[in-house]
Amino acid sequence: MEKETMQSLMRVAIEYRLRAYAPYSKFKVGAALLTEEGQIFGGCNIENASYTPTNCAERTAFFKAVSEGYFKFKGIAIVGGKEDAELQFCAPCGVCRQVMMEFCDPETFIVVLGTSVDDFKAYTLKEILPLGFGPEDLK
């Protein structure tokens, strides 16, 4: 994935972080998911007082994209941090990694983690989810 593309995704993720609903943890996360067709879907974390129904930014972006008919993805950028603090490198949780595994090729799907449009690191899904379990395992 080109640097300019990753920077664009970071911009969208930072924007969506501002929309997060995190009154309990005060930890806000934004995500920007890029489809194979070039569409970008943003997502933010949405908390709930009972915690279990809370949804992460990454899954929000995936579910929005899938609900609009997109099933193939190139990459995702993720930013996060405490409400009134600097952004920090924020890796996706295990549940989000598993959702990524459902829809993405672990060899080529890129996960961009960063603190700004100029400070980020890119990983393949396989690097952050070694030995992942996906649809291919059920064949």
Side-chain angles (χ1 to χ4, degrees):
M1 183 179 296
E2 296 176 357
K3 180 179 179 181
E4 294 79 19
T5 302
M6 289 188 270
Q7 288 176 314
S8 294
L9 290 174
M10 287 295 297
R11 278 187 200 91
V12 174
I14 290 167
E15 173 190 328
Y16 269 82
R17 181 180 172 268
L18 299 174
R19 301 176 186 184
Y21 177 74
Y24 308 104
S25 73
K26 308 282 191 243
F27 195 92
K28 295 186 170 193
V29 181
L33 177 64
L34 179 64
T35 70
E36 288 283 342
E37 297 83 2
Q39 285 283 113
I40 297 175
F41 286 88
C44 61
N45 58 318
I46 304 166
E47 292 183 348
N48 188 283
S50 66
Y51 287 100
T52 302
T54 294
N55 203 51
C56 297
E58 302 91 312
R59 283 183 281 139
T60 299
F62 267 94
F63 297 162
K64 284 172 60 178
V66 170
S67 72
E68 295 296 324
Y70 294 89
F71 298 94
K72 295 184 180 185
F73 306 98
K74 288 185 177 181
I76 191 168
I78 305 162
V79 298
K82 280 293 197 179
E83 191 169 63
D84 296 322
E86 300 272 329
L87 292 176
Q88 64 189 62
F89 284 90
C90 180
C93 75
V95 175
C96 288
R97 293 175 198 209
Q98 189 60 45
V99 168
M100 291 175 197
M101 189 73 181
E102 182 70 22
F103 294 102
C104 307
D105 180 345
E107 301 281 344
T108 61
F109 184 75
I110 301 298
V111 179
V112 181
L113 310 176
T115 62
S116 75
V117 296
D118 295 314
D119 182 25
F120 57 85
K121 298 174 186 172
Y123 305 90
T124 63
L125 178 56
K126 185 176 181 177
E127 288 176 304
I128 67 166
L129 185 62
L131 304 175
F133 185 86
E136 291 297 315
D137 294 302
L138 295 174
K139 291 184 178 175

